[in-house]
Amino acid sequence: NFRELLCGSMSIPGDMLLDIPRITLCGNRELEIENYKNVLEYLETSIQLNCKDYVIRLSGKKLEITSITDESICVRGVISDISFTH
């Protein structure tokens, strides 16, 4: 689509124009996701986040949301798996 073409031709990061999540992972202990919509599930072993086109599921141990805003969310704990579903 037009936004994808614009990102490619102008070297603009996709998360800026396409409203896709940007995921920053520090080892398996800390994760930040920008451009999420809302939290669907919050358990010590599983966190599910709704994004524009899919759901991101984090699995692990002692998972804890340490920071949350309208734009980003930070999770700490022992992250063992990250999956994406439609």
Side-chain angles (χ1 to χ4, degrees):
N1 76 32
F2 176 73
R3 288 183 178 191
E4 291 173 343
L5 288 172
L6 184 62
C7 288
S9 66
M10 297 184 68
S11 299
I12 297 173
D15 62 312
M16 291 181 70
L17 285 180
L18 302 175
D19 199 26
I20 58 175
R22 174 182 290 263
I23 300 171
T24 306
L25 183 63
C26 295
N28 70 333
R29 300 292 178 154
E30 188 172 9
L31 176 129
E32 179 182 11
I33 298 178
E34 299 173 60
N35 295 333
Y36 79 103
K37 300 295 182 196
N38 60 332
V39 178
L40 299 174
E41 178 182 73
Y42 181 30
L43 303 170
E44 189 176 272
T45 58
S46 176
I47 296 175
Q48 289 189 46
L49 304 172
N50 188 32
C51 296
K52 181 181 176 186
D53 295 325
Y54 45 85
V55 173
I56 297 175
R57 180 172 186 203
L58 310 173
S59 299
K61 297 179 184 174
K62 298 182 181 180
L63 298 179
E64 174 184 17
I65 295 174
T66 58
S67 162
I68 188 168
T69 69
D70 290 341
E71 309 271 323
S72 68
I73 187 167
C74 293
V75 175
R76 285 190 184 157
V78 179
I79 300 165
S80 59
D81 185 63
I82 303 170
S83 62
F84 303 85
T85 57
H86 288 280

